Structure formats: C-alpha cells, structure tokens
Amino acid sequence: MIDGYSVLPVRGIGEVRPGDDLARLITDAAPWLRDGDILVVTSKIVSKAEGQLADVPVAGPEREAAREDLLRSETARVVATRGHTRIVQTHHGFVMASAGIDNSNVDRSQLVLLPKDPDRSAADLRATLRERHGLDVAVIVSDTMGRPWRNGLTDVALGSAGIAPLRDHRGETDPHGNDLQITQIAVVDELAAAAELVKGKIDQVPVAVIRGLIQTTEEAPGVVPTLVRTAEQDLFSLGTEEAKEQGRRERSGDPRP
Amino acid sequence: MIDGYSVLPVRGIGEVRPGDDLARLITDAAPWLRDGDILVVTSKIVSKAEGQLADVPVAGPEREAAREDLLRSETARVVATRGHTRIVQTHHGFVMASAGIDNSNVDRSQLVLLPKDPDRSAADLRATLRERHGLDVAVIVSDTMGRPWRNGLTDVALGSAGIAPLRDHRGETDPHGNDLQITQIAVVDELAAAAELVKGKIDQVPVAVIRGLIQTTEEAPGVVPTLVRTAEQDLFSLGTEEAKEQGRRERSGDPRP
C-alpha cells in the first residue's frame, strides 16, 4: 500500500536575502533530504537570493510609475489587457499577469522580479546540492500562474533540472489496442501543483520535497525549451479583444501593427 | 517531519462497465480508505459506470462521421480550430479539445463522453461512500486537459464534493503588511494534478487517494459553479485567428455571426 509518494513541507527557512546560499538554507532546514527527492522551490526565494529585486517608492503615483517601468522592461510582448490586468509574455516566454512581478512577501520598498533564467537557477541549485552536500535531487523552480477559462490559480514550473519536464505517452497503445497519440503530460507542472498544497502563501513554507516518485536524474532539458510554446504555435497568442481589433485594422487597411 | 501528505494509488479496479457500482469497486480495491481522505477518480471510469458511452464504427470514414456528430452534440460553442484540432466549450462550460470525447482505454467500437454532471457524480459517490460504507471522504472527478501557452497536459478537476474548490487568500496580509488581493488557488485542480502523478495512462490506476491534507467536508459548491469562467468574463474566449476573423467581418459590415 505504501507505494505512492509523499509531499513534505520544508519549514524554518525564514527570510531570504540577496546573496543567501539557498543550498545551505534548505539543507539546514531539511537535514532529512535524500537522494531521489524532488525539491520544489518557490521562485520568490530564488529571486531574492539572486538579487532579482527592484527598489520602488512605498506608495503613491511614484510607486505605480516605477512598477509600470519594470513591467515594460520585463515584457517581450503584451498578450491581453483589461482594466488594470496586463497579461504579457516575458522574455523567457512565460505568459503571465504583470510579467510575474510580485509585491507579496517582500518589503514595501521592493518588488520581486522572476529569476533571469529559472532553468539555470534549478541546475545551479542541483549542482551545489550534489557537489557540496552529496545529494542527488531534482529541482523545480515554481510560481503561481493564472490560466484562461478557469478561475483560480495553480502553481506551475518555471525551471527544472534533473527531471524530464514531459512524460510522453505518444506511440504507446492502451490495453484495447488504441494509440495514445497525443498525450504528453507536463509532469513538472503537476509536481509544482502538488507542492503548492503544502506550501501556502502566508505560512512561509517556500520549499516542498516530493519523495517516492521514480524519476530520472539524467540530464534533461529544462522547462523553457520544453514547455514554453511560441506565439506562432499557439492558438491563443492574443486576447480575444486584441485579436478582434487587429482584424478590424487589417480590414480597414490601417498599417499600425 | 511527517506533517506533509501522501498520494496513494488504488490498484486492481479493473475494467469498469455501465451500471457498475463505483463505491463498491473502490472500497474493495482500497479497504484502507479512511475518513478525511480525498478520492481523485478519473472521469473515464465515472463515464463508463454511468453509461456515457457511444457506439461507433471501428474504422473508416463512418467512424469519423460518427465522431463528428458526437462532437457537435457535446459542443456549446467552438472556441478555436486548427487542422484536426477542435477546441470547444462543452455544455458544462469546460473548454477542452474534442469536448473531452476520448477513445483511449475503451473498446474500439465505443467512445467515452464526459459525465453529464461531474459535480453530481462526485456528490453521489461521496454520499454512497458515507451512507453505505460509513466513510467521510471528499471526491474529485478529474480529467486531462491542455492549456494555452504551455506544452503538455495536466489533470484538472471536472467535479468535486466535500471540499472547497478554491482556497481564498484575498483580504489576508503577508508578514510585511502587503495585501494578498488576488490570490485564489484552485485547490481541486492541484489535487487532480497531484493524483495524476500516481495514476498514469496505461497502468490502469484510475483512482488515487490523497491522505493527510486538512480539508473541510462541509458542503461546498462544486467545480462547475466555482471554477468555470464564462466566455464574457474571459480574455481568451476565442482563438486568436477566430477573433481576428470576427474583427475583419465586423469592419467589412458582414453580418455573419
């Protein structure tokens, strides 16, 4: 019966600051980590350790203006806008509200940006844990994202190392002889979701450990090259209103992009 | 350290047929079920037990035509089309490829439709387990869905009973005094994802049990009234090409819808 898996919170990590050694903070808080575990680390503490913070005024229109500037610099293209909501594609390729810029769990005078290269962050943490602590673990850097068509957010993976982001059932057949042609499961996103359930927003549990799932630790491509779909491949590369507006402009011969 | 949660596969359920008693099949296969567990049941076996199956020719253009007819009758509106891919909104409100009609893990002469009312299916199974087996468990009916912007599918909840679909952090503040204004977490979707990791596609493990997460079993609204966003509320109610085309038609005065 005990052949499922466990999801364990890592408590006591405390406030993370620029330059902090995440591998040490995590192994101090979770001396019970062991080979084969999958470590799911909230992107916010990765960003903080890497100094991906921006100083902003604590209130007023100056704060809003500074936030706007940051959003612009983190944005590769705007996907959809409604009221104060701005959904954009980041330079990494993620489609997220406000480019993932966050003001929660940080001092009022700062905003947290996404890690510059979350796959690299995951690989670095994995390498440090292996080299300095003798641990062979997979690492996922996760964040909370919205999605179309359904209310509520879920956690997904921004970066990973030591685990294949997709499990591929294409080419297999079921017991009835039917092909399973198109089923690729986004395993790292499901792991990020499973981890969120013990992390919570206020509880200051920024890391969870997933134990007991068989996983390859051979070198696998990260999240960005595997899971991020380009605008050209996507059927929803623009919001409905934005796309309608583009159609109207095309028809009226308006050359604006 | 053991204050996380576990995800346990339920093995040995075998082939499910119309009229089968799911509560009995599950309790026979998992006599270790206990109060407070969350049962995540693949929608396919719910559909099979409820007889949501359609007879179709085993091959050829007749099969395709029958499938087209089914897709039409399961579709409330077409959202996006590319090649053979048809993303539609079902009468329940779910936006899914092929309206969730599935040909895997079923005889070649049949196709599986979604349960007619997955929240009702979950509530019925929960009630039967309580009344006949004395078990107080939450139930989630799950299915595999794609999403825009990211490759790979994840499991999400189609229906639920005995658990609140959303965890709401709005109105709370973090330790720095920042409001957490907009964070509603789609807990049942994360639970469905966590369960998928032990279920797999070929392994015939259509049920998983999540144990150790504190959860309310008071009556909570289901997935459809809580998580399904209406087209009017959604920024991505149409595919980009479909919306552009609509914009072009509007501009040229073409009255077609």
Side-chain angles (χ1 to χ4, degrees):
Chain A
M1 176 193 140
I2 190 68
D3 76 322
Y5 69 92
S6 309
V7 185
L8 308 166
V10 176
R11 299 186 191 278
I13 287 185
E15 195 62 31
V16 175
R17 293 190 173 74
D20 274 357
D21 178 345
L22 275 189
R24 180 165 308 281
L25 291 177
I26 291 169
T27 50
D28 282 353
W32 41 266
L33 261 185
R34 60 186 195 219
D35 289 353
D37 284 346
I38 303 168
L39 211 52
V40 184
V41 183
T42 304
S43 72
K44 182 157 301 168
I45 67 166
V46 174
S47 293
K48 286 178 171 179
E50 293 177 353
Q52 280 285 87
L53 296 162
D55 294 318
V56 292
V58 294
E62 296 79 8
R63 182 179 171 90
E64 271 320 294
R67 197 187 160 89
E68 281 295 317
D69 283 348
L70 283 171
L71 179 49
R72 237 187 319 269
S73 69
E74 295 289 300
T75 295
R77 66 184 190 92
V78 176
V79 171
T81 304
R82 181 188 285 176
H84 286 294
T85 303
R86 206 92 55 83
I87 296 170
V88 307
Q89 188 156 29
T90 69
H91 298 292
H92 324 83
F94 304 125
V95 177
M96 296 179 79
S98 306
I101 299 171
D102 202 343
N103 70 338
S104 63
N105 293 301
V106 67
D107 192 86
R108 288 284 295 169
S109 67
Q110 294 190 308
L111 292 175
V112 185
L113 312 178
L114 295 187
K116 273 196 188 352
D117 180 348
D119 284 324
R120 167 58 47 198
S121 304
D124 286 349
L125 180 54
R126 172 166 147 79
T128 304
L129 287 165
R130 183 161 45 185
E131 287 155 22
R132 224 175 47 201
H133 300 271
L135 282 166
D136 182 15
V137 300
V139 176
I140 293 170
V141 174
S142 71
D143 203 356
T144 307
M145 269 193 210
R147 61 265 168 93
W149 315 326
R150 288 172 81 83
N151 297 319
L153 316 180
T154 62
D155 270 23
V156 299
L158 298 185
S160 68
I163 182 167
L166 289 172
R167 187 175 66 229
D168 202 334
H169 293 292
R170 293 175 304 175
E172 298 176 27
T173 55
D174 69 21
H176 298 272
N178 300 299
D179 293 340
L180 296 178
Q181 289 186 328
I182 55 163
T183 308
Q184 287 183 300
I185 297 291
V187 171
V188 288
D189 284 345
E190 296 192 325
L191 289 163
E196 195 284 327
L197 290 163
V198 295
K199 292 200 291 189
K201 285 279 163 269
I202 314 262
D203 298 335
Q204 305 270 47
V205 179
V207 179
V209 171
I210 294 181
R211 174 166 293 174
L213 274 180
I214 293 157
Q215 50 105 358
T216 60
T217 52
E218 69 213 59
E219 290 320 312
V223 167
V224 171
T226 315
L227 288 191
V228 171
R229 200 182 284 154
T230 63
E232 293 71 42
Q233 295 171 310
D234 205 277
L235 300 181
F236 299 89
S237 60
L238 273 182
T240 301
E241 284 311 316
E242 287 74 10
K244 277 189 196 172
E245 180 54 31
Q246 196 168 311
R248 285 184 211 111
R249 278 204 309 269
E250 280 176 25
R251 178 53 58 110
S252 67
D254 185 329
R256 280 177 300 170
Chain B
M1 176 194 141
I2 192 67
D3 75 325
Y5 69 94
S6 309
V7 185
L8 307 166
V10 176
R11 300 186 192 278
I13 287 184
E15 194 63 28
V16 175
R17 293 190 174 74
D20 275 357
D21 178 346
L22 274 190
R24 181 164 308 283
L25 292 178
I26 291 169
T27 49
D28 282 354
W32 41 267
L33 261 185
R34 62 186 194 217
D35 289 353
D37 284 345
I38 303 168
L39 211 53
V40 184
V41 183
T42 305
S43 72
K44 181 158 299 168
I45 67 165
V46 174
S47 294
K48 286 179 170 179
E50 294 178 352
Q52 281 285 87
L53 296 162
D55 294 319
V56 292
V58 296
E62 295 81 8
R63 183 179 170 90
E64 271 319 293
R67 196 188 161 87
E68 281 295 317
D69 283 347
L70 283 171
L71 178 50
R72 239 188 318 269
S73 69
E74 296 289 301
T75 295
R77 65 182 191 91
V78 176
V79 172
T81 303
R82 182 186 285 176
H84 286 295
T85 302
R86 207 92 55 81
I87 296 171
V88 307
Q89 188 157 28
T90 69
H91 298 293
H92 324 80
F94 304 125
V95 177
M96 295 178 79
S98 307
I101 299 171
D102 202 344
N103 71 337
S104 63
N105 292 301
V106 68
D107 191 85
R108 288 282 297 169
S109 66
Q110 295 190 306
L111 292 174
V112 185
L113 313 178
L114 295 188
K116 273 197 188 348
D117 181 347
D119 284 324
R120 167 59 46 199
S121 304
D124 286 349
L125 180 55
R126 171 167 148 78
T128 305
L129 287 166
R130 182 161 47 184
E131 288 154 22
R132 223 175 49 203
H133 301 271
L135 282 167
D136 182 15
V137 300
V139 176
I140 293 171
V141 174
S142 71
D143 203 358
T144 307
M145 270 193 209
R147 61 265 167 94
W149 314 326
R150 289 172 80 84
N151 297 319
L153 316 179
T154 62
D155 270 23
V156 299
L158 299 185
S160 68
I163 182 168
L166 289 171
R167 187 175 66 228
D168 202 335
H169 292 292
R170 293 175 304 176
E172 299 176 26
T173 55
D174 70 20
H176 298 273
N178 299 299
D179 294 341
L180 296 177
Q181 290 186 329
I182 55 163
T183 308
Q184 287 184 300
I185 296 292
V187 171
V188 289
D189 284 344
E190 295 192 327
L191 289 164
E196 195 284 326
L197 290 163
V198 295
K199 292 200 292 190
K201 285 280 162 267
I202 314 262
D203 297 336
Q204 305 270 47
V205 179
V207 179
V209 171
I210 294 182
R211 174 166 292 174
L213 273 181
I214 294 157
Q215 50 106 356
T216 60
T217 51
E218 70 213 59
E219 290 322 311
V223 167
V224 171
T226 315
L227 287 191
V228 171
R229 199 182 284 156
T230 63
E232 293 70 40
Q233 295 170 309
D234 206 277
L235 300 181
F236 300 89
S237 60
L238 275 181
T240 301
E241 284 311 314
E242 287 74 11
K244 276 190 197 171
E245 180 54 31
Q246 196 168 311
R248 286 184 211 110
R249 278 203 309 269
E250 280 175 26
R251 179 52 60 112
S252 66
D254 184 330
R256 281 177 298 172

